[in-house]
Amino acid sequence: MSLLVKICGLSTRETLQTALDAGADMVGFVFFPPSPRHLSLELGRDLGRQVKQRALKVALTVDADDATLDNIMDALSPDMFQLHGKESVARLRDIKQKFGRPVMKAVPVATATDLAVLPGYAAVADRILFDARAPKNATRPGGLGEPFDWHLLENLDLKLPYMVSGGLDAGNVAEALRVTRAGGVDVSSGVESAPGVKDPEMIKAFIRAARATQDASQELSVR
């Protein structure tokens, strides 16, 4: 199966175009006001049109209510919702039924006990995203640039597709994939020159580094 590469928190036409041209499989748009990557609905609509089905559009929300999700549906028409808050299993099921879109549930990880929620979410979600658990005083749950202990996922038995995020960059994505055996990676702050400011060269370097690990593994499997 091909590795999925997601560039999240895109907020300009230039950096979105860079991600698309570099071969990103998923492009993420943040609708959460405390985040430096938050988009207005108007900008989300504009960027969504630019994608033109070249990648999957992912709308990141945090404990959003139905009215917010409805507005995002109207503006972006996302291919998937990424739920990054404390949404319950019942809430995931409700969102899928009401909005008819797949959902990717972010699971914050700091210790092995954080994985106890997986059976419940896995019964409803279409994909799991493992992210570093934010500090208690953080104003947002992700995009903080810190990795978690990837070895916590080494013996993971999860039938659902999953991705890893949290502190990834071009320099460590290969190791993250080697340890976790994830089917996808998600980067945001790791391709930024400042919070919320994506760097085109860093985007290209990250995608190249991620693809290189896939090429290497495919070469080994052929031998």
Side-chain angles (χ1 to χ4, degrees), residues 5 7 17 47 57 64 68 78 92 102 118 120 136 166 177 189 203:
V5 179
I7 307 296
Q17 194 63 44
L47 295 179
K57 296 177 293 185
T68 299
L92 262 66
L118 283 177
K136 289 185 178 180
L177 286 167
S189 61
I203 290 174

Side-chain angles (χ1 to χ4, degrees), residues 111-132:
T111 68
T113 58
D114 291 321
L115 304 180
V117 299
L118 283 177
Y121 284 134
V124 180
D126 298 277
R127 188 177 295 273
I128 297 292
L129 174 68
F130 293 104
D131 195 8

Side-chain angles (χ1 to χ4, degrees), residues 9 13 20 30 43 60 88 97 120 126 137 156 170 202 218:
R13 293 183 64 85
L20 293 171
V30 176
L43 182 53
L60 187 157
S88 66
Q97 290 176 347
D126 298 277
N137 61 348
L156 183 67
M202 294 173 75
Q218 288 176 343

